């Protein structure tokens, strides 16, 4: 439903009422903002000295924030690659004609989808650092990547499945009737179309991965959040450091979200159907 | 797995009960915040729409971990905004409930907007044409159907909320995630500890998923 159907074009009285509501809304925001600024002033967080390093001191970016961004992006890119591979593998597994393969894939996907990412991160990190499978420097990264891959890979597996199911049945029938095998039909007819359909949802899941990499904080993985904490204690500006880190996270994720919207618009302009989410709203940390 | 249960059994039960209580409180909180923001985003007033949209875009793109850490290191220690002066653990738990509500409120808002989209345009037009105001048509016609149409996304949002209570572990170790971190540091069998907690969450979330799916089918408005 288009939201414009919810109300008429406002007449003079309604316009006055809307103006009052708008002013009220702005007033509430100003009041909240005032309280925040006052509180921050009382805690002397608004001193120029707290914020100046971000523009004047090159080491703030070179030695802290960029290192943090690099850590975050590294974990995200590795996890995205592995999660897509995991998702394709088990997504196709769930579509298999072999009942055992289908059953096993469903079990794996359902299990890892219902366990919190953080639990998987802490456990795998504990395992890696104890078993010596990874050196103590790479164990945190491996833990973050394991948690993100298992969880988001399962979500992507669901996307693959619903992407294939969203295709018209005739597609598979056509493939089979020209003499392709079931596997060939899946590989060369169904999957390419399913992946196009799930592209916006896939990019949405990449946002989740990027955001969830901040969970690495709890297993000492050197990502943006940890670096902004260190920055905050080095320059004695904890609050500004967190606020700048939050702004960086929002900027990164918002760019990806906008990209997802653009892709979806382009696909629908070409008359392609898109699926939105595997689980209706993907909302982990 | 057996000795983990016999050593920590009561601790684990207590931690999971904290997890459940956190999820319930934050579930109600996020529902309230989300409904409010959704109405703002659907309202005819442009400023309110803008405020609602900014809220959703900002909160949705911020990591929950950052919100949690910020609430303790920033809000409590530096700004002195304590939710329980006497008890550090209580303060952290209350802040984590607030942050979970704020974070998931944005997702509840989007779920409700998706629910509004399931209501046919004709209904809004009909309610306007019989003279209902925006508030009346929202209350009597649109929102009741929107809630029913939004049961599935609201349900998966609540399940995500249950799982996200573990993020509380970064500020206090009273719930399941924090306890698991503690046990893993003290014990040697990582895999069995993981399995105990993983199964705990599967028990919490899997039946809920089935329940919400059947509920959404039952409540769906037949068109």
């Amino acid at each position: 439903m288009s939201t414009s159907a919810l109300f008429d074009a406002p007449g003079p009285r309604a316009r006055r009422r809307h103006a009052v509501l708008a002013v009220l809304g702005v007033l509430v925001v100003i009041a909240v903002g005032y309280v925040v600024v006052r509180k921050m002033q009382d805690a002397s967080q608004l001193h120029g000295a707290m914020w100046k390093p971000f523009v004047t001191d090159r080491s703030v970016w070179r030695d802290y924030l960029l290192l943090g961004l690099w850590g975050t992006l590294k974990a995200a890119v590795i996890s995205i690659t592995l999660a897509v591979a995991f998702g394709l593998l088990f997504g196709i597994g769930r579509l298999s004609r072999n009942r055992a393969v289908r059953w096993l894939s469903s079990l794996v996907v359902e299990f890892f989808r219902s366990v919190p990412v953080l639990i998987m991160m802490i456990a795998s990190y504990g395992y890696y650092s104890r078993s010596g499978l990874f050196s103590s420097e790479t164990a945190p990264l491996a833990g973050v990547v394991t948690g993100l891959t298992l969880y988001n890979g399962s979500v992507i597996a669901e996307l693959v499945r619903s992407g294939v199911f969203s295709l018209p049945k005739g597609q598979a029938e056509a493939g089979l009737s020209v003499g392709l095998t079931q596997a060939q039909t899946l590989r060369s007819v169904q999957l390419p179309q399913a992946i196009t359909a799930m592209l916006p949802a896939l990019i949405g899941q990449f946002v989740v991965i990027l955001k969830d990499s901040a969970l690495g904080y709890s297993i000492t993985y050197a990502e943006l959040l940890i670096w902004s904490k260190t920055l905050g204690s080095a320059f004695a500006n904890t609050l500004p450091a967190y606020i700048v880190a939050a702004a960086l996270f929002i900027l990164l994720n918002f760019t990806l979200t906008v990209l997802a919207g653009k892709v979806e618009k382009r696909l629908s302009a070409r008359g392609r159907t898109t699926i939105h989410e595997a689980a209706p709203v993907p909302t982990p940390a | 797995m057996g000795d983990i249960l016999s050593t920590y059994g009561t601790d684990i039960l207590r931690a999971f009960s904290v997890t459940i209580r956190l999820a319930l409180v934050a579930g109600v909180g996020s529902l309230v915040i989300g409904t409010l923001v959704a109405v703002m985003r659907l309202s005819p007033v442009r400023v309110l729409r803008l405020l609602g949209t900014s809220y959703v875009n900002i909160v949705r793109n911020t990591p929950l971990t950052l919100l949690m850490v910020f609430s303790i290191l920033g809000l409590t220690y530096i700004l002195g905004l304590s939710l329980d002066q006497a008890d550090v653990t209580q303060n952290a738990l209350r802040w984590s409930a607030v942050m979970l509500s704020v974070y998931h409120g944005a997702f509840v808002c989007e779920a409700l907007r998706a629910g509004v989209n399931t209501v046919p345009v004709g209904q809004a037009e009909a309610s306007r044409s019989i003279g209902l105001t925006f508030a009346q048509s929202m209350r009597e016609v649109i929102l009741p159907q929107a809630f029913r149409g939004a049961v599935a996304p609201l349900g998966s949002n609540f399940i995500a909320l249950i799982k996200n209570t573990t993020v509380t572990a970064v500020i206090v170790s009273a719930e399941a995630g924090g306890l698991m971190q503690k046990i893993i540091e003290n014990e040697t069998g990582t895999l069995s500890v993981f399995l105990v907690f993983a199964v705990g969450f599967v028990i919490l979330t899997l039946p809920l998923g089935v329940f919400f799916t059947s509920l959404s089918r039952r409540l769906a408005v037949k068109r």
Side-chain angles (χ1 to χ4, degrees), chain A residues 231-263:
Chain A
L231 168 72
S233 33
F235 285 78
N237 59 352
T238 306
L239 276 187
Y242 280 137
I243 291 170
V244 170
L248 288 174
F249 268 116
I250 293 169
L251 205 70
L252 268 179
N253 292 326
F254 192 68
T255 317
L256 266 180
T257 313
V258 169
L259 180 72
K262 282 239 169 75
V263 169

Side-chain angles (χ1 to χ4, degrees), chain B residues 5-192:
Chain B
L5 281 178
S6 59
T7 326
Y8 293 101
T10 46
D11 289 347
I12 291 175
L13 280 184
R14 200 176 309 131
F16 267 106
S17 91
V18 174
T19 295
I20 293 170
R21 267 182 298 168
L22 256 183
L24 288 178
V25 172
V28 174
S30 63
L31 214 53
V32 172
I33 294 178
T35 312
L36 202 74
V37 180
V39 171
M40 277 169 74
R41 285 198 77 172
L42 294 168
S43 79
V45 186
R46 216 170 124 225
V47 175
L48 295 185
R49 278 206 303 268
L50 205 77
L51 288 178
T53 312
S54 339
Y55 177 86
V56 169
N57 279 335
I58 290 175
V59 170
R60 223 168 34 157
N61 289 317
T62 313
L64 179 59
T65 324
L66 195 149
L67 292 176
M68 290 281 180
V69 174
F70 184 76
S71 75
I72 295 303
L73 295 181
L75 297 177
T76 304
Y77 288 155
I78 292 179
L79 296 190
L81 294 168
S82 189
L83 295 181
D84 190 322
Q85 306 288 353
D87 190 343
V88 185
T89 306
Q90 269 306 315
N91 173 57
L93 277 178
R94 285 182 188 166
W95 267 122
S96 83
V98 170
M99 287 308 175
L100 281 166
S101 308
V102 166
Y103 183 78
H104 279 272
F107 293 96
V108 168
C109 164
E110 292 309 275
L112 284 180
R113 288 206 317 142
V116 168
N117 277 328
T118 66
V119 183
V121 186
Q123 299 224 2
E125 288 167 352
S127 46
R128 264 166 55 198
S129 71
I130 60 169
L132 297 187
T133 63
F134 171 73
Q136 282 170 328
S137 70
M138 262 323 219
R139 210 169 48 225
E140 307 289 341
V141 182
I142 312 287
L143 276 184
Q145 295 185 70
F147 268 109
R148 292 170 66 161
V151 166
L154 281 177
S156 44
N157 185 31
F158 184 59
I159 291 171
L161 170 63
I162 295 179
K163 291 187 277 175
N164 271 343
T165 55
T166 52
V167 183
T168 308
V170 300
I171 53 173
V172 65
S173 59
E175 47 62 67
L179 180 66
M180 188 185 91
Q181 196 158 24
K182 251 201 244 169
I183 297 181
I184 281 192
E185 273 160 25
N186 296 336
E187 300 290 320
T188 43
T190 314
L191 190 68
S192 51

Side-chain angles (χ1 to χ4, degrees), chain A residues 181-277:
Chain A
T181 64
Q182 191 103 23
Q184 284 171 327
T185 308
L186 185 68
R187 205 170 47 230
S188 48
V189 179
Q190 290 179 297
L191 270 185
Q193 297 184 73
I195 289 171
T196 329
M198 66 190 236
L199 212 51
L202 202 61
I203 299 174
Q205 205 55 40
F206 295 166
V207 175
V208 172
I209 294 180
L210 192 64
K211 215 165 43 151
D212 274 4
S213 65
L215 284 170
Y217 177 89
S218 63
I219 57 169
T220 69
Y221 174 60
E223 44 69 67
L224 185 54
L225 187 55
I226 283 203
W227 275 112
S228 64
K229 188 185 171 192
T230 327
L231 168 72
S233 33
F235 285 78
N237 59 352
T238 306
L239 276 187
Y242 280 137
I243 291 170
V244 170
L248 288 174
F249 268 116
I250 293 169
L251 205 70
L252 268 179
N253 292 326
F254 192 68
T255 317
L256 266 180
T257 313
V258 169
L259 180 72
K262 282 239 169 75
V263 169
E264 180 164 14
K265 225 184 217 156
R266 251 185 94 166
L267 290 176
S268 64
R270 277 197 274 155
R272 305 290 291 267
T273 50
T274 50
I275 51 170
H276 283 263
E277 287 105 13

